[in-house]
Amino acid sequence: EAGGVVLGKSADKLFSLSGLFAVYKPKGPTSAGVLNLLKERLLAEAGVQTNGNKRNQILKIGHGGTLDSAAAGVLVVGIGKGTKMLRTMLAGSKRYTAIGLLGKATDTLDATGKVTEEKPYDQITKGDLENVLQKFTGDIMQVPPLYSALKKDGERLSTLMKRGEAVEAKPARPVRVYSLSLQQFQPPLFTLDVECGGGFYVRSLVSDIGKELSTCATMQELTRTKQGPFTLEEHALYEDKWTIDEIARSLEHCTSLLPGEPSHKKLKTEHPGETAVICE
């Protein structure tokens, strides 16, 4: 009987959780997959029986901006009323460490794709790379990748591409790069640190840098080190900390990072192409 009481308590605590926190997404799973795993863990710990599809209605949880399967790093999660704050995360700034590979282009612009082009790169110096980065800093125009979560007629471009349908490139759109620097250059590899606004694709940046250098480039690795005020070092909870108590502690700690009341009105118009993913 005592066991039953304890269960009741942790379930109560789980359903009273509200706000934003951050988890670490490893390479491999999709962002949605990570969220589902987190949800299953929490419901299991709370002893909540889930039968099939009903579980989605039980716990309100969402994330504030997809990371590609092959990418790792900070994934901001909203729980309870926090799901309403995820939109501000999409428009906010993000910071990444990216490793690019010179001399090869792929259809997906990253290491998961098929090689579409190979070009010599040995003429490129560290100085060349650093000079080119200035062109990609500030307010720039960027064409999003064809393989992306952006939608055409309600379907993801990546889904259409995989089916072999002809997909037209989306038009270039304005994006913002707050800072961009070269961390390492060991040809053919180069490491970038980039801080950017919403709707920015690091894969496109790496590819565009390659073209600008009269060769080609593809992204080998991507890690999101910061999203809004949440950093990888300080705030991202690894899988072993996906417990009700750890998340409660993290929510308390993270409340101080967030602005008072976010104004949703302004943000809605900023990137209509992006939506916060919320599993009700």
Side-chain angles (χ1 to χ4, degrees):
E1 288 238 338
V5 175
V6 173
L7 273 185
K9 254 194 189 152
S10 58
D12 278 351
K13 184 161 184 182
L14 174 58
F15 294 118
S16 70
L17 295 179
S18 187
L20 296 180
F21 62 102
V23 298
Y24 174 76
K25 179 197 147 343
K27 257 162 92 162
T30 62
S31 296
V34 168
L35 214 62
N36 283 332
L37 183 64
L38 172 69
K39 202 178 209 176
E40 270 164 31
R41 281 282 172 83
L42 294 174
L43 289 170
E45 186 193 342
V48 176
Q49 291 299 310
T50 57
N51 32 8
N53 293 334
K54 288 247 175 68
R55 70 151 188 249
N56 284 341
Q57 285 103 45
I58 299 177
L59 187 61
K60 206 171 180 188
I61 200 164
H63 69 71
T66 304
L67 261 181
D68 291 337
S69 307
V74 178
L75 188 65
V76 174
V77 177
I79 190 163
K81 291 201 178 77
T83 51
K84 292 189 172 51
M85 300 155 79
L86 289 170
R87 198 176 277 283
T88 50
M89 285 296 123
L90 285 169
S93 79
K94 302 160 183 74
R95 192 169 178 180
Y96 298 91
T97 301
I99 300 175
L101 173 76
L102 290 168
K104 274 194 179 137
T106 63
D107 55 359
T108 57
L109 311 187
D110 68 13
T112 65
K114 288 195 278 288
V115 176
T116 52
E117 197 182 7
E118 297 200 44
K119 279 186 167 181
Y121 59 84
D122 17 354
Q123 69 286 5
I124 292 163
T125 65
K126 190 178 182 197
D128 293 337
L129 243 172
E130 286 175 332
N131 288 339
V132 155
L133 295 188
Q134 290 165 19
K135 293 189 180 178
F136 294 99
T137 307
D139 289 315
I140 61 168
M141 295 299 285
Q142 185 186 65
V143 177
L146 285 176
Y147 280 88
S148 73
L150 295 178
K151 301 216 165 104
K152 179 195 171 194
D153 305 329
E155 283 208 86
R156 286 182 173 219
L157 292 185
S158 50
T159 311
L160 296 170
M161 292 283 288
K162 282 174 192 151
R163 276 215 303 265
E165 293 191 23
V167 173
E168 257 175 73
K170 289 254 181 192
R173 51 191 197 169
V175 289
R176 181 167 289 182
V177 178
Y178 297 103
S179 69
L180 176 59
S181 61
L182 182 65
Q183 300 290 299
Q184 251 183 330
F185 183 49
Q186 291 171 305
L189 297 175
F190 60 96
T191 305
L192 301 173
D193 176 56
V194 55
E195 189 158 358
C196 52
F200 184 85
Y201 281 90
V202 184
R203 285 183 281 155
S204 293
L205 170 72
V206 169
S207 168
D208 292 345
I209 285 171
K211 288 178 193 151
E212 195 66 42
L213 290 163
S214 306
T215 177
C216 49
T218 191
M219 191 172 75
Q220 287 299 98
E221 266 186 53
L222 184 67
T223 306
R224 183 153 67 195
T225 54
K226 190 169 188 258
Q227 187 178 3
F230 298 90
T231 67
L232 187 53
E233 284 87 45
E234 264 188 282
H235 308 109
L237 296 178
Y238 286 76
E239 219 185 303
D240 60 330
K241 292 221 155 71
W242 291 1
T243 65
I244 296 169
D245 285 346
E246 286 288 352
I247 288 169
R249 205 169 300 148
S250 191
L251 285 168
E252 221 164 283
H253 173 59
C254 293
T255 311
S256 59
L257 300 172
L258 301 164
E261 272 302 296
S263 57
H264 295 307
K265 297 268 187 313
K266 186 176 120 294
L267 293 158
K268 276 193 176 139
T269 53
E270 210 166 317
H271 287 291
E274 289 190 80
T275 47
V277 182
I278 299 173
C279 324
E280 296 285 347

